[in-house]
């Protein structure tokens, strides 16, 4: 838990990614404060997923990502990542227990014994205990998000990244998801960075929005971004 | 049947090779690397061919060395994202087999090496068993240490990276280990059937598994049953062992395919 009197900050400066001759991201810079939800919006192919991959060190990039702890000292940034729900092969046997156990322990998941109690505890934070023996490919959109959030927030990360968490979730499920993320950022004081298209939810829950089109066109509060000329040009003022 | 030494050696070898392939196969299938392992098998011929050009008499050594380079290079190009996975792998696979065939046919010695296409497990000698046992122990230790990471990567490489897994190193290491095991086994199992030995037990186990524990246990059991069953049938039917082992794996795959609905619900 962090000290409330000071902010911890993830600062991104001059982030650029080039693939072949294509400049996917150019000189992207922003900072993420603890306890805040920052959303990344943009058209398809704007570089949103590339940005997440670069932040996680999974794509060659220029520029820096620095984390400063609440006491002002630099520190390693711990990450939690909630992947987009991808259509899994319906024959895939990987279970919720397998994923949670593999992510939280070095004990091989295929050996007898294991860490079932720990996994149940992990899942209980998101009311997902009953899913423990289900296969990942059987989960609905909402169930997938609850399981992935359990994995991503154990142990509590400084920066939680979500990639289009709305996939396969109905409106009621979306409200629950955003409420849970709101609760996490406030009670755990974590920075949350989310790629999303749910503008109505972002208006309600996001603290900041980055409008991305290979570089950051606008950044600010939801009202500032949604009223900007750049946003209206890209999304037709909807 | 097992009064003959060559049958006893073959049995020991199969008891070691098939479980290794069964284990590695689970990750190959879950990570959609079947094309890759197929290309790897085809590269064996190029390894032998280049070995003969360079004067390396130990064909296993030249195959392993070439396969390590092949796997590393293929992985680098695959990761660069210049083309889709199956395209890159097909380019590598066809280039490798063409190069191998061209070199071997040029010197007129292709017939000498054609045995590698279907392999011959009965040629295994007792001195081959110790290196095989050492390889089995190494792969088992690797499996115990890194299976959890491989599982995370198969679900989401980015999520695995966020959990501190060194994704690229882990993927490269897996491919290199796979290259070594495939090349060691290929002499006895054969280029044409090596990939099916890797894929069939895991694919059959996948049909009836609801978690990773049963996937691995069943893949091991199916691999052993195919290996030992194939050896015995090949003895009785006087057929080549490699293809007979593969056919046993195929029977298990189709049997599990038919009952998968009842097991998985």
């Amino acid at each position: 838990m962090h000290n409330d009197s000071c902010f911890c900050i993830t600062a991104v400066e001059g982030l650029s990614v080039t693939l072949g001759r294509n400049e996917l991201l150019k000189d992207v810079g922003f900072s993420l404060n603890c306890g805040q939800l920052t959303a990344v919006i943009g058209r398809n192919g704007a570089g949103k997923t590339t940005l997440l991959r670069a932040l996680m060190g999974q794509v060659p990039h220029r520029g820096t990502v620095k984390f400063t702890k609440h006491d002002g000292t630099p520190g390693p940034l711990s990450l939690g990542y909630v992947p987009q729900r991808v259509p899994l092969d319906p024959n895939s046997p990987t279970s919720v227990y397998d994923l949670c156990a593999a992510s939280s322990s070095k004990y091989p998941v295929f050996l007898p014994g294991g860490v079932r109690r720990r996994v149940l505890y992990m899942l209980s934070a998101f009311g997902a205990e009953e899913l423990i023996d289900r296969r990942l490919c059987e989960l609905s959109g909402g169930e997938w998000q609850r399981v992935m959030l359990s994995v991503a927030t154990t142990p509590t990360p400084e920066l939680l990244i979500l990639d289009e968490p709305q996939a396969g979730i109905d409106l009621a499920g979306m409200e629950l998801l955003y409420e849970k993320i709101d609760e996490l950022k406030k009670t755990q004081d974590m920075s949350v960075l989310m790629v999303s298209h749910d503008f109505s939810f972002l208006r309600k829950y996001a603290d900041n929005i980055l409008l991305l089109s290979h570089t950051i066109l606008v950044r600010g509060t939801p009202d500032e971004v949604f009223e900007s000329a750049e946003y209206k040009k890209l999304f037709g003022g909807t | 049947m097992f009064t003959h030494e060559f049958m006893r050696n073959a049995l020991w070898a199969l008891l070691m090779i098939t479980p290794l392939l069964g284990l590695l196969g689970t990750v190959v299938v879950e990570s959609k690397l079947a094309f890759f392992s197929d290309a790897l098998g085809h590269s064996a011929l190029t390894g032998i061919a280049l070995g003969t050009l360079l004067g390396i008499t130990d064909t296993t050594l030249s195959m392993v060395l070439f396969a390590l380079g092949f796997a590393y290079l293929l992985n680098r190009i695959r990761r660069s994202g210049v083309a889709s996975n199956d395209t890159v792998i097909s380019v590598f696979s066809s280039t490798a087999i063409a190069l191998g065939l061209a070199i071997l046919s040029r010197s007129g010695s292709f017939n000498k090496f054609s045995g590698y296409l279907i392999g011959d497990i009965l040629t295994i000698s007792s001195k081959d068993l110790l290196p095989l046992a050492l390889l089995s122990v190494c792969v088992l230790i690797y499996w115990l240490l890194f299976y959890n990471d491989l599982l995370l990567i198969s679900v989401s490489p980015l999520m695995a990276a966020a959990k501190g897994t060194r994704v690229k190193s882990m993927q490269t290491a897996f491919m290199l280990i796979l290259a070594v095991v495939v090349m060691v086994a290929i002499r006895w199992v054969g280029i044409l059937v090596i990939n099916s030995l890797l894929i069939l037990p895991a694919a059959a186990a996948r049909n009836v598994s609801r978690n990773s524990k049963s996937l691995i246990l069943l893949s091991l059991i199916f691999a052993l049953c195919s290996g030992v069953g194939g050896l015995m049938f090949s003895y009785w039917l006087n057929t080549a062992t490699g293809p007979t082992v593969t056919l046993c794996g195929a029977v298990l795959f189709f049997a599990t395919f038919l009952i998968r609905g009842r097991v998985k619900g």
Side-chain angles (χ1 to χ4, degrees):
Chain A
M1 187 63 74
H2 302 262
N3 185 334
D4 283 337
S5 60
C6 294
F7 284 124
C8 45
I9 294 176
T10 306
V12 179
E13 286 175 18
L15 196 75
S16 298
V17 175
T18 308
L19 181 66
R21 288 180 193 164
N22 295 332
E23 198 159 36
L24 302 179
L25 288 178
K26 186 182 174 186
D27 199 24
V28 170
F30 56 88
S31 59
L32 306 167
N33 291 342
C34 284
Q36 292 197 345
L37 165 60
T38 303
V40 182
I41 63 171
R43 304 290 288 265
N44 286 340
K48 301 188 293 289
T49 302
T50 305
L51 174 63
L52 300 190
R53 291 171 63 89
L55 285 176
M56 296 167 78
Q58 294 303 300
V59 63
H61 61 272
R62 297 184 300 281
T64 56
V65 180
K66 282 183 192 158
F67 177 68
T68 309
K69 289 191 266 189
H70 63 281
D71 58 4
T73 56
L77 175 64
S78 63
L79 289 168
Y81 175 70
V82 175
Q84 199 174 355
R85 183 171 175 244
V86 286
L88 285 172
D89 182 344
N91 216 14
S92 173
T94 307
S95 70
V96 170
Y97 171 80
D98 293 333
L99 176 72
C100 294
S103 74
S104 64
S105 163
K106 285 284 170 198
Y107 186 78
V109 299
F110 56 86
L111 291 183
V115 290
R116 198 172 171 87
R117 282 177 68 178
R118 184 191 301 184
V119 169
L120 280 170
Y121 180 72
M122 270 171 85
L123 292 168
S124 67
F126 294 89
E129 304 98 306
E130 81 282 3
L131 303 174
I132 189 166
D133 292 319
R134 297 270 292 281
R135 290 182 295 137
L136 292 179
C137 61
E138 296 170 332
L139 302 179
S140 70
E143 290 169 340
W144 169 274
Q145 293 305 347
R146 282 192 282 152
V147 169
M148 292 301 160
L149 276 167
S150 307
V151 172
T153 56
T154 311
T156 308
E158 270 121 8
L159 173 59
L160 176 66
I161 296 177
L162 299 98
D163 191 1
E164 304 202 17
Q166 73 276 10
I169 306 184
D170 57 17
L171 274 181
M174 290 291 290
E175 190 70 46
L176 279 174
L177 175 72
Y178 275 91
E179 276 173 11
K180 194 70 201 179
I181 290 167
D182 202 52
E183 183 192 321
L184 274 177
K185 74 171 193 189
K186 286 173 182 160
T187 59
Q188 308 291 319
D189 199 26
M190 60 174 80
S191 306
V192 183
L193 181 69
M194 177 193 283
V195 169
S196 178
H197 299 300
D198 315 301
F199 297 151
S200 56
F201 283 100
L202 293 183
R203 209 179 271 278
K204 185 173 169 189
Y205 288 100
D207 298 292
N208 296 294
I209 291 183
L210 310 173
L211 176 58
L212 190 75
S213 180
H214 303 295
T215 191
I216 292 180
L217 299 178
V218 192
R219 62 179 168 185
T221 63
D223 286 341
E224 286 166 354
V225 172
F226 291 136
E227 291 307 317
S228 68
E230 289 86 349
Y231 172 82
K232 286 175 179 164
K233 190 178 166 195
L234 273 179
F235 293 98
T238 52
Chain B
M1 145 183 11
F2 293 111
T3 51
H4 304 293
E5 193 189 348
F6 64 87
M7 285 297 283
R8 279 201 304 276
N9 287 341
L11 178 66
W12 278 115
L14 282 169
L15 288 176
M16 287 189 271
I17 292 172
T18 49
L20 283 190
L21 295 172
L23 276 184
L24 296 174
T26 58
V27 169
V28 170
V29 171
E30 281 301 297
S31 305
K32 299 186 173 59
L33 291 171
F35 269 132
F36 169 80
S37 55
D38 198 35
L40 205 55
H42 290 163
S43 79
L45 216 53
T46 328
I48 300 168
L50 291 177
T52 56
L53 273 185
L54 298 170
I56 302 173
T57 48
D58 186 342
T59 48
T60 304
L61 180 67
S62 57
M63 280 193 296
V64 168
L65 289 177
F66 180 76
L68 287 174
F70 182 86
Y72 183 77
L73 199 62
L74 203 160
N75 202 29
R76 284 289 298 268
I77 294 181
R78 190 178 67 90
R79 213 179 268 152
S80 71
V82 291
S84 66
N85 265 356
D86 52 348
T87 307
V88 173
I89 292 170
S90 293
V91 168
F92 266 69
S93 177
S94 44
T95 309
I97 200 157
L99 187 63
L101 289 172
I103 296 173
L104 290 177
S105 61
R106 183 175 168 268
S107 55
S109 57
F110 180 69
N111 283 345
K112 202 165 80 182
F113 296 101
S114 61
Y116 279 90
L117 291 177
I118 56 166
D120 190 356
I121 192 97
L122 303 181
T123 61
I124 199 163
S125 68
S126 47
K127 73 176 169 45
D128 293 322
L129 293 176
L130 184 63
L132 203 54
L134 284 175
L135 180 67
S136 303
V137 171
C138 291
V139 173
L140 206 58
I141 291 171
Y142 164 78
W143 205 250
L144 288 168
L145 291 176
F146 298 115
Y147 178 77
N148 286 7
D149 291 302
L150 294 170
L151 185 139
L152 286 181
I153 293 170
S154 75
V155 175
S156 164
L158 276 182
M159 190 188 60
K163 285 286 164 194
T165 300
R166 296 170 69 174
V167 175
K168 286 180 186 171
S169 316
M170 207 53 79
Q171 286 173 326
T172 306
F174 178 76
M175 289 184 169
L176 295 181
I177 286 168
L178 187 63
V180 173
V181 172
V182 164
M183 289 307 134
V184 168
I186 223 163
R187 203 170 117 204
W188 304 305
V189 178
I191 291 167
L192 296 178
V193 292
I194 184 75
N195 205 41
S196 47
L197 273 190
L198 200 57
I199 305 301
L200 282 174
R206 207 166 180 258
N207 281 339
V208 285
S209 296
R210 288 193 56 87
N211 54 50
S212 295
K213 191 187 285 184
S214 65
L215 173 73
I216 288 179
L217 184 67
L218 287 175
S219 186
L220 271 178
I221 292 172
F222 290 162
L224 279 168
C225 289
S226 320
V228 177
L231 180 66
M232 290 163 71
F233 280 116
S234 72
Y235 181 83
W236 290 323
L237 303 172
N238 201 23
T239 51
T241 311
T244 316
V245 169
T246 300
L247 285 174
C248 288
V251 168
L252 286 169
F253 176 80
F254 288 111
T256 53
F257 183 78
L258 290 174
I259 61 164
R260 78 187 194 290
R262 259 177 273 167
V263 178
K264 285 196 166 179

